[in-house]
Amino acid sequence: MTTGTTHSDFAKRLDQTADDTEALLAKLLSDRLLPDEIARPKRLMDAMRYSSLNGGKRLRPFLVVESAAVFGVPREAALLAGAALECIHCYSLIHDDLPAMDNSDLRRGRPTLHKQTDDATAILAGDGLLTLAFDIITRDEIHGDPTVRLLLTRALARGSGIGGMVGGQMLDLAGEGRFGDREPVDVARLQQMKTGALLRFGCIAGAILGKATRAEYQALDDYGRALGEAFQIADDLLDVEGDAAALGKQTGQDAALGKTTFVTQLGIEGAKRRVRDLLARADAALSIFGARGDVLRDAARFVAERKN
């Protein structure tokens, strides 16, 4: 895969979007009341900020910004849509870490929110971020066309809801035997829902914002699906081969919980071959955009080769 951007150029763009997203989230999670809000309880806001600020690569907002850039969408609008997506992602991490779910003690090198505070605060902080995401995604500043905002909102709901991330988490828990005997796991479908759905949204959000043609939308959809699967395989590999200090969380969690993963199904070398195939698929999907797709090509490689 060859692109027109250098590694340092890509890293700068990724870091800049992370910085811009951080600043925007800090503003969105300030103590300033919005119209129709009665109060923003300090404990709740502190918890939401703890789990949303000062951490993460902000890959999902980056995908929104760069997929939107393909169509010349204003960066400020794309960042706002990306912030909504990041709120969903951060809420999911809070809830996934809870004792009733993955029971994790460490996230991004710090105690998980329920360890830092308590279970009730963590649940409500997650609820707050989930709800805030839909406040953000409907704002007029994202796009002047209300139909575009409606399509974005619907896509985010479906990516994060019962047929997407939340449904995928249920399938994952069922596969661990949480509700009785272990249920058979279709790893590819599980991945498409639990992890891939939000990453895919990050890609198709740009197409929606840019009022893409059917062919352009399909290209970003195909790219997003390939990138999402590559991300999950890389995550599965890191859980086996990664370093806990670099990851900022425990390794070996999948094996400890008896999870069925791409690595348990394909083996380490088979999983790595699958990632290479997915990179080729992502590259092919972006061919319709020519050089405008270069940053997204780099993003796929970044996802596949990441160490944390």
Side-chain angles (χ1 to χ4, degrees):
M1 181 187 302
T2 59
T3 69
T5 57
T6 66
H7 175 74
S8 60
D9 288 340
F10 175 80
K12 287 178 183 176
R13 291 178 77 105
L14 183 65
D15 290 345
Q16 186 61 60
T17 297
D19 290 344
D20 292 344
T21 301
E22 179 81 11
L24 182 54
L25 285 172
K27 182 179 178 181
L28 292 164
L29 291 168
S30 74
D31 294 327
R32 183 178 65 86
L33 290 178
L34 298 177
D36 300 321
E37 289 185 342
I38 299 168
R40 289 191 163 195
K42 183 179 186 303
R43 184 176 182 83
L44 178 62
M45 299 311 301
D46 286 346
M48 291 168 69
R49 288 188 284 256
Y50 178 86
S51 293
S52 303
L53 303 179
N54 303 313
K57 297 175 285 293
R58 310 297 188 190
L59 174 63
R60 290 156 189 82
F62 181 77
L63 291 172
V64 176
V65 168
E66 294 300 341
S67 64
V70 170
F71 303 97
V73 173
R75 181 178 176 84
E76 294 76 13
L79 280 168
L80 201 54
L85 175 56
E86 190 70 359
C87 285
I88 296 280
H89 174 57
C90 292
Y91 123 73
S92 75
L93 299 181
I94 294 171
H95 282 192
D96 281 0
D97 288 337
L98 286 166
M101 303 278 265
D102 289 346
N103 194 25
S104 299
D105 296 339
L106 197 64
R107 171 70 65 181
R108 293 173 178 167
R110 301 190 301 171
T112 48
L113 182 58
H114 69 277
K115 287 292 183 181
Q116 182 73 11
T117 57
D118 57 85
D119 289 5
T121 300
I123 291 168
L124 290 173
D127 292 346
L129 286 167
L130 169 61
T131 312
L132 178 62
F134 288 97
D135 180 311
I136 297 167
I137 203 69
T138 59
R139 294 187 183 183
D140 293 349
E141 303 96 298
I142 285 184
H143 204 285
D145 185 345
T147 300
V148 169
R149 299 198 302 273
L150 173 63
L151 291 172
L152 269 179
T153 303
R154 181 185 298 162
L156 183 59
R158 291 184 179 174
S160 58
I162 54 178
M165 182 189 69
V166 171
Q169 178 70 356
M170 178 61 77
L171 294 178
D172 199 20
L173 293 173
E176 293 174 19
R178 293 291 191 93
F179 315 116
D181 294 337
R182 289 180 185 271
E183 297 183 16
V185 174
D186 180 337
V187 174
R189 183 175 67 171
L190 170 61
Q191 173 279 321
Q192 287 171 1
M193 295 172 69
K194 183 178 177 181
T195 306
L198 290 189
L199 290 165
R200 171 181 172 264
F201 173 82
C203 302
I204 63 170
I208 296 171
L209 284 166
K211 294 189 172 182
T213 66
R214 184 183 298 272
E216 290 169 333
Y217 179 95
Q218 189 60 54
L220 283 173
D221 192 356
D222 291 345
Y223 166 81
R225 291 175 189 273
L227 179 138
E229 187 172 330
F231 181 97
Q232 185 59 54
I233 296 174
D235 209 50
D236 292 348
L237 286 165
L238 284 170
D239 193 68
V240 175
E241 300 182 318
D243 175 67
L247 288 171
K249 62 181 181 178
Q250 296 99 327
T251 56
Q253 288 284 86
D254 292 342
L257 293 170
K259 290 181 182 286
T260 302
T261 69
F262 281 105
V263 173
T264 61
Q265 286 203 338
L266 302 175
I268 290 176
E269 291 308 314
K272 290 178 178 178
R273 283 194 299 273
R274 177 65 177 162
V275 169
R276 291 193 291 271
D277 291 343
L278 289 164
L279 284 177
R281 182 175 138 198
D283 189 38
L286 295 172
S287 62
I288 189 174
F289 302 116
R292 288 182 295 149
D294 282 349
V295 177
L296 292 175
R297 291 184 182 90
D298 288 333
R301 182 173 291 280
F302 169 79
V303 160
E305 297 177 352
R306 66 196 174 92
K307 302 300 180 185
N308 57 30

